[in-house]
């Protein structure tokens, strides 16, 4: 049975983390204002490549949680979570989540030292963008051993940054079981199509593999465990982003309602509105707590991680849903306009649920992990 | 004791001590046996309330006398000056042992009133009251609410008039939990009606056995009577039992109320855990919807504990806790409601009619008690006002005339 046994000090932000947050929020304020974010999403690659390299180089974001032997800084996921809160807060479209968290974790969790040594330094330095296929949604990819090594055939959909990422880590069916492969496909053997997406700040693509040369990562049969580990890391990362996005929605809404006047008073003086924002604060503080705990569990590889990650996913998707709905509603007509940013957050919140699972998906999984199933025999 | 033990070491010490003085709790593991009460407010007669209080008090004294009581307090009050979250570490261990469950008057005395005395009391009062209260030789109740002063507590009309070196109290308090067993009542009184109302309040500690104090139980929706009305008919209180300066009673009151909000963060967790046990042991498979509902309650309870941990660790680190300190009570009352909802779904007709089965109809006590905490200690609506105004800094509620 699950028992909460957390060192409470892990739930507090350290001084180092606070400084990181300040540096990052300054940089993002300068580079990811609401207007610039839109421009970035309309650029060919969908994000600001200069900023990408500044994040990797100046601050070392990409390598923060990667081991030093692979070009990382050897901090933990707790530090990376600080970054993701801030990038989530401004909807920074840089593909940190697929590159650093999903692909980075899949290489690390595979325990394949050769693959790690080959790819992780590029991820840490910002030279590579990367993603995973066949992890979040089932894909039909098979791997065969050809005369010149392994090749991949089949297709994967809903791949985050699937059109543009340099490196793909793919969960594929090999003759000896499900196995992970890494490839840097080009157009001669791979068709990659950007999907039209609900959330323009997080691109998704359809990938058709037509005999893509690929290198196996880890051992045969090990893939399901790696996929599980990556999904947990993904949930924890997404939770941190959602905390940041929710906090932005609350701040922006608060700012609006204490200045907007109707009926001769600011609308923020109406109790109906005060109470709704109070409820939102309760939800966000809950999300923040669940996210901090899950990050701490991931940082120390605690056995509670699957439960903590699932709980954070429930708390944070719920808070983000509520926050983004209130963001629109409490701004009135302006909240419903294209120009105003609120809809970008609605898009992010809902598209993330589609990609990583709704609160109810996570609840159902948690119930299984915790035996909340009644007597099933 | 010198130095602060590491948390793990501390917990091992607690466990070792508890093993020597208490029995390990088995009922919780053995589903279907032992006490199935999930009462939020007990339905006891006065005699039962006294008997239970004596049992709990015996245990609190044992703790205190062996140095496991006033953990966060300085040695002169029987404590060890440990960081505040050590109390939580202690409780986490104690949970596994069969010791009496504390009723409301105990946290009110130890966590609400004693800290207020430490802040506002004179040296003489601290010497006289603190150790006995921490040891629960003395128990305190809150004589705050009146029929016309509930959420709007500063509207209290109970009068305190100076007479010689004492005061004469006259008034009527309601909804006083634990008044039958408390030895002291913390009374919020009006001492001056010619000044703005918050400036005319003074707080006194009243002996509950003083002449002129009459306690009458009020029956609650649970059927029991854990709260009372208290008549103060010309009760003489020495000036040495006045807590804080004359006219500063509102600030003293706020100290107690803030502690109450902080202390409310743990409400409902035991019963949420019980409801989850029910979801595990129900003799049929749960539907998908029921699993989701159960998992949701699990997440709520986990998050509630985490919020509590964030508060205590902020305090331990010498930081002022932020928003997390104020959201706890609202979170807790929502957990209690979610517990009722899950149990309702799982038990079906056995919640409404007593089949005699263990752990079924007993849940009516939770169902009927839980709404009380949405009202007591600052209603949900007042908590939302507090969050909106103090944390989010939104405009204050408009006041009616003469407020
Ligand atoms: C189980 C229980 C135990 C209690 N124990 C004690 C005790 O030990 N000592 C003690 O002194 N008191 C105690 N109380 C009393 C409790 O503190 C009051 O009941 C509470 O403060 C509400 O006051 P009221 O009952 O006068 O309701 P009212 O203040 O009249 O409230 C009625 C309704 O109006 C809402 N409301 C009031 N003001 C506002 C506002 N500004 N904005 C929005 N909504 C508002 C309230 O939330 C409530 O829903 C207890 C109450 C209960 C239920």
């Amino acid at each position: 049975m699950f028992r909460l046994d957390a060192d409470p000090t892990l739930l507090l932000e350290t001084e180092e983390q606070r400084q990181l947050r300040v540096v990052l929020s300054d940089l993002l304020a300068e580079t990811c204002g609401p207007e610039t974010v839109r421009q970035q999403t309309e650029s060919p690659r969908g994000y600001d490549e200069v900023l990408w390299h500044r994040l990797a180089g100046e601050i070392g974001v990409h390598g923060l949680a990667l081991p030093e032997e692979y070009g990382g800084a050897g901090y933990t996921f707790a530090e990376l979570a600080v970054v993701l809160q801030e990038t989530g807060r401004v909807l920074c479209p840089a593909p940190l989540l697929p590159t650093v968290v999903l692909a980075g974790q899949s290489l690390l969790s595979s325990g394949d030292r050769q693959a790690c040594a080959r790819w992780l330094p590029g991820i840490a330095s910002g030279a590579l963008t990367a993603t995973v296929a066949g992890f979040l949604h089932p894909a039909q990819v098979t791997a065969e051993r050809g005369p010149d090594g392994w090749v991949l055939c089949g297709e994967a959909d809903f791949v985050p940054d699937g059109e543009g990422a340099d490196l793909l880590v793919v969960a594929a069916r090999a003759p000896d079981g499900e196995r992970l492969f890494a490839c840097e496909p080009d157009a001669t053997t791979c068709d990659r199509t950007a999907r039209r997406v609900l959330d323009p700040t997080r691109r998704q693509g359809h990938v058709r593999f037509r005999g893509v040369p690929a290198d196996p990562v880890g051992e045969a049969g090990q893939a399901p465990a790696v996929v599980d580990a990556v999904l947990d890391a993904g949930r924890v990362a997404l939770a941190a982003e959602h905390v940041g996005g929710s906090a932005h929605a609350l701040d922006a809404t608060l700012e609006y309602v204490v200045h907007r006047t109707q009926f001769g008073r600011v609308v923020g003086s109406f109790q109906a509105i005060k109470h709704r924002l109070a409820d939102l604060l309760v939800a966000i503080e809950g999300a923040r707590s669940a996210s901090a705990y899950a990050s701490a569990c991931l940082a120390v590889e605690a056995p509670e991680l699957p439960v903590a990650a699932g709980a954070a996913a429930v708390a944070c998707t719920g808070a983000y849903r509520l926050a983004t709905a209130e963001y629109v509603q409490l701004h009135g007509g302006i909240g419903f306009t294209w120009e105003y940013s609120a809809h970008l957050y609605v898009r992010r919140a809902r598209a993330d649920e589609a990609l990583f699972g709704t609160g109810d998906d996570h609840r159902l999984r948690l119930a299984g992990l915790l035996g909340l199933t009644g007597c099933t025999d | 004791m010198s130095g602060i033990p590491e948390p793990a070491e501390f917990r091992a010490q607690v466990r070792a001590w508890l093993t020597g003085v208490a029995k390990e709790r088995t009922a919780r593991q053995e589903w279907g046996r032992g006490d199935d009460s999930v009462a939020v407010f007990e339905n006891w007669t006065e005699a039962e309330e006294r008997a239970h209080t004596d049992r709990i008090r015996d245990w609190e004294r044992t703790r205190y006398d062996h140095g496991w009581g006033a953990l966060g307090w300085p040695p002169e009050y029987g404590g060890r000056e440990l960081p505040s979250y050590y109390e939580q570490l202690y409780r986490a261990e104690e949970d596994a042992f069969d010791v009496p469950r504390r009723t409301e008057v105990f946290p009110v005395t130890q966590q609400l009133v004693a800290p207020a005395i430490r802040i506002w009391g004179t040296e003489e009062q601290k010497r006289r009251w603190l150790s006995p209260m921490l040891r629960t030789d003395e128990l305190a109740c809150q004589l705050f609410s009146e029929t016309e002063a509930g959420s709007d507590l500063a509207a209290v009309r109970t009068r305190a008039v100076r007479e010689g070196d004492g005061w004469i109290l006259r008034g009527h308090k309601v909804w006083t939990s634990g008044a039958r067993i408390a030895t002291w009542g913390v009374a919020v009184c009006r001492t001056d009606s010619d000044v703005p109302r918050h400036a005319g309040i003074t707080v006194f500690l009243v002996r509950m056995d003083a002449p002129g104090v009459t306690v009458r139980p009020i029956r609650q929706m649970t059927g029991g009577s854990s709260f009372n009305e208290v008549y103060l008919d010309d009760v003489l209180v020495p000036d040495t039992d006045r807590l804080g300066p004359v006219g500063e009673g509102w600030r003293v009151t706020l100290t107690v109320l803030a502690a109450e909000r902080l202390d409310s963060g743990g409400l409902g967790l035991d019963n949420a855990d019980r409801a989850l046990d029910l979801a595990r042991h129900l003799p049929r498979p749960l539907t998908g919807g029921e699993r989701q509902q159960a998992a949701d309650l699990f997440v709520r309870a986990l998050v509630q504990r985490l919020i509590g941990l964030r508060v205590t660790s902020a305090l331990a680190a010498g930081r002022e806790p932020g928003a997390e300190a104020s959201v706890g009570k609202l979170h807790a009352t929502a957990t209690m409601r979610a517990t009722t909802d899950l149990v309702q779904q799982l038990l079906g007709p056995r919640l409404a009619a007593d089949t005699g089965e263990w752990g079924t109809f007993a849940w009516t006590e939770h169902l009927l008690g839980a709404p009380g905490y949405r009202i007591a200690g600052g209603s949900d609506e007042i908590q939302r006002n507090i969050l909106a105004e103090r944390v989010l800094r939104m405009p204050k509620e408009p006041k009616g005339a003469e407020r």
Side-chain angles (χ1 to χ4, degrees):
Chain A
M1 219 186 90
F2 177 85
R3 176 163 174 200
L4 174 61
D5 200 1
D7 174 356
T9 55
L10 293 179
L11 302 174
L12 279 192
E13 191 164 277
T14 64
E15 180 53 26
E16 215 167 18
Q17 288 165 0
R18 197 191 60 78
Q19 287 172 6
L20 176 63
R21 184 184 300 284
V22 171
V23 171
L24 244 135
S25 69
D26 286 350
L27 175 61
L28 293 173
E30 175 196 320
T31 54
C32 282
E35 279 315 307
T36 24
V37 162
R38 284 180 200 230
Q39 286 158 12
Q40 291 170 25
T41 64
E42 283 155 17
S43 71
R45 195 59 186 86
Y47 65 92
D48 177 351
E49 294 180 67
V50 175
L51 173 62
W52 177 260
H53 289 291
R54 287 183 70 186
L55 285 171
E58 280 173 29
I59 306 186
V61 162
H62 299 49
L64 258 184
L66 295 177
E68 283 166 287
E69 59 172 318
Y70 303 126
Y75 284 95
T76 71
F77 195 87
E79 281 71 38
L80 188 57
V82 171
V83 172
L84 294 168
Q85 275 186 20
E86 294 307 311
T87 54
R89 178 180 261 278
V90 298
L91 298 183
C92 172
L96 276 174
L97 181 71
T99 302
V100 174
V101 179
L102 301 179
Q105 278 293 321
S106 65
L107 293 167
L108 270 180
S109 312
S110 75
D112 184 331
R113 301 182 57 87
Q114 212 181 334
C116 287
R118 178 158 172 207
W119 308 109
L120 287 180
I123 287 180
S125 72
L128 271 184
T129 56
T131 190
V132 296
F135 282 57
L136 304 170
H137 293 273
Q140 303 294 324
V141 186
T142 52
E144 282 160 30
R145 206 193 289 270
D148 305 318
W150 290 92
V151 291
L152 303 179
C153 292
E155 49 190 286
D157 210 347
F158 316 115
V159 178
D161 200 30
E163 187 205 10
D166 301 318
L167 172 72
L168 267 61
V169 180
V170 187
R173 255 195 337 273
D176 46 1
E178 202 180 334
R179 192 160 185 182
L180 299 184
F181 293 86
C183 57
E184 289 182 87
D186 64 39
T188 56
T189 54
C190 191
D191 305 320
R192 304 215 249 165
T193 324
R195 290 285 189 199
R196 201 176 135 206
V197 280
L198 171 63
D199 170 18
T201 65
R202 176 159 282 156
R203 293 189 173 185
Q204 297 180 35
H206 175 267
V207 184
R208 187 186 309 279
F209 300 88
R210 292 183 285 101
V212 178
D215 295 302
V217 174
E219 303 298 320
Q222 187 202 23
V226 175
V227 170
D228 280 347
V230 170
L231 290 183
D232 277 335
R235 288 176 191 119
V236 182
L238 202 68
E241 287 190 358
H242 288 180
V243 168
S246 303
H248 161 80
L250 174 59
D251 291 350
T253 305
L254 199 53
E255 175 67 17
Y256 186 76
V257 299
V258 299
H259 290 111
R260 168 73 180 166
T261 300
Q262 287 289 280
F263 300 98
R265 48 197 273 214
V266 295
V267 294
S269 68
F270 292 110
Q271 196 179 64
I273 293 187
K274 289 166 67 176
H275 282 195
R276 279 164 70 165
L277 291 185
D279 284 339
L280 180 54
L281 178 70
V282 175
I284 292 177
E285 284 306 312
R288 196 184 291 289
S289 307
S291 167
Y293 173 57
S295 295
C297 285
L298 183 53
V300 302
E301 292 171 35
E304 297 90 342
L305 175 63
V307 168
V314 170
C316 296
T317 50
Y320 208 15
R321 255 196 200 185
L322 180 66
T324 51
E326 298 293 44
Y327 194 0
V328 174
Q329 176 64 19
L330 298 185
H331 277 77
I334 285 177
F336 193 65
T337 59
W338 181 259
E339 280 69 28
Y340 198 70
S341 294
H343 71 98
L344 294 178
Y345 287 82
V346 174
R347 289 164 182 273
R348 172 61 78 85
R350 293 291 177 165
D352 278 352
E353 286 190 48
L355 202 54
F356 289 87
T358 61
D360 273 343
D361 292 335
H362 297 300
R363 287 183 187 95
L364 206 52
R365 220 175 37 81
L366 261 183
L369 289 175
L370 294 161
L372 298 172
T373 52
C375 289
T376 48
D377 41 49
Chain B
M1 291 223 358
S2 66
I4 295 172
E6 287 296 311
E9 180 194 339
F10 174 77
R11 292 175 62 155
Q13 291 168 357
V14 174
R15 219 160 26 238
W17 178 69
L18 284 168
T19 311
V21 290
K23 271 213 319 267
E24 227 164 311
R25 199 189 288 273
T26 51
R28 270 285 276 283
Q29 282 102 28
E30 280 177 60
W31 183 253
R33 298 182 44 192
D35 183 7
D36 68 350
S37 166
V38 282
V40 177
F41 301 100
E42 305 290 352
N43 292 349
W44 289 330
T45 64
E46 180 165 0
E48 285 168 341
E49 190 178 8
R50 284 192 189 287
H52 281 284
T53 303
D54 287 343
R55 271 208 5 246
I56 305 167
R57 194 192 334 243
D58 280 346
W59 172 243
E60 289 299 317
R61 286 177 177 161
T62 307
R63 266 182 75 188
Y64 182 92
D65 293 344
H66 289 81
W68 299 101
L71 293 170
W73 291 77
E76 66 253 47
Y77 305 120
R80 313 189 189 176
E81 263 176 333
L82 290 172
S84 56
Y85 73 88
Y86 277 67
E87 179 70 24
Q88 249 165 336
L89 296 180
Y90 172 86
R91 292 208 181 277
E93 293 306 318
E94 201 194 63
D95 261 358
F97 288 83
D98 193 14
V99 301
R101 244 188 347 170
R102 301 197 309 165
T103 48
E104 240 188 321
V105 72
F106 287 87
V108 166
T109 304
Q110 295 168 315
Q111 265 83 45
L112 274 50
V113 176
I117 291 172
R118 187 177 181 183
I119 294 171
W120 291 99
T122 62
E123 285 310 315
E124 182 274 329
Q125 288 174 332
K126 291 192 224 177
R127 265 197 311 279
R128 185 152 56 95
W129 282 329
L130 283 180
S131 293
M133 284 193 182
L134 293 169
R135 194 171 180 266
T136 66
D137 297 332
E138 304 285 354
L139 290 172
C141 62
Q142 290 168 279
L143 295 168
F144 286 20
S145 305
E146 300 176 7
T147 51
E148 304 306 318
S151 301
D152 187 14
L153 186 56
V156 286
R157 299 204 280 210
T158 293
R159 301 272 324 182
V161 179
R162 203 185 263 279
E163 187 161 300
D165 44 3
W167 299 76
I168 303 290
L169 271 54
R170 161 173 281 194
H172 177 212
K173 295 287 180 180
V174 282
W175 325 130
T176 315
S177 304
R180 290 193 296 205
I181 39 149
T183 51
W184 291 94
V186 181
V188 179
C189 302
R190 183 152 310 281
T191 42
D192 189 345
S193 20
D194 299 330
V195 293
R197 56 190 205 132
H198 290 96
I201 293 173
T202 305
V203 169
F204 298 89
L205 265 71
V206 182
R207 279 217 64 91
M208 293 301 284
D209 60 4
V213 177
T214 312
V215 176
R216 293 212 189 113
I218 303 175
R219 198 158 185 214
Q220 295 153 221
M221 66 183 263
T222 55
S225 305
S226 72
F227 61 30
N228 310 267
E229 58 182 334
V230 177
Y231 290 89
L232 303 171
D233 295 316
D234 295 333
V235 180
L236 177 66
V237 174
D239 192 52
T240 47
D241 289 352
R242 167 172 51 80
L243 184 60
V246 175
E248 297 266 354
W250 185 243
R251 290 174 57 207
V252 179
T253 307
L254 289 182
T255 306
V256 178
L257 295 179
E260 186 164 20
R261 267 201 305 287
L262 212 61
D263 196 57
S264 305
L267 287 173
L269 289 171
D270 282 353
N271 283 359
D273 288 349
R274 285 277 197 123
L276 293 172
D277 279 344
L278 176 65
R280 288 191 181 89
H281 290 97
L282 205 71
R284 64 166 171 85
L286 266 51
T287 65
E290 289 167 342
R291 289 174 196 207
Q292 288 167 339
Q293 198 179 347
D296 193 68
L297 180 62
F298 169 83
V299 173
R300 287 200 148 282
L302 174 64
V303 163
Q304 192 179 324
R305 291 190 162 98
L306 291 168
I307 291 174
L309 284 178
R310 277 177 63 208
V311 174
T312 44
S313 58
L315 293 171
R319 295 189 207 169
E320 191 68 22
E324 64 269 24
S326 316
V327 302
K329 183 164 189 264
L330 270 178
H331 198 97
T333 55
T335 301
M336 293 173 98
R337 195 150 22 120
T339 297
T340 300
D341 293 346
L342 176 64
V343 164
Q344 169 108 55
Q345 176 63 37
L346 298 182
L347 290 177
R350 288 173 299 161
L351 180 64
D354 191 355
T355 59
E357 268 174 277
W358 184 92
T360 59
F361 193 73
W363 279 102
T364 54
E365 291 188 280
H366 175 87
L367 178 153
L368 292 167
Y373 272 117
R374 299 189 65 196
I375 301 166
S379 70
D380 278 5
E381 290 73 25
I382 294 300
Q383 300 297 332
R384 290 190 176 97
N385 285 348
I386 290 173
L387 285 181
E389 293 173 13
R390 301 209 197 134
V391 181
L392 301 177
R393 310 247 162 242
M394 297 176 80
K396 292 233 186 311
E397 287 298 295
K399 303 276 189 236
E402 291 172 44
R403 296 285 98 150

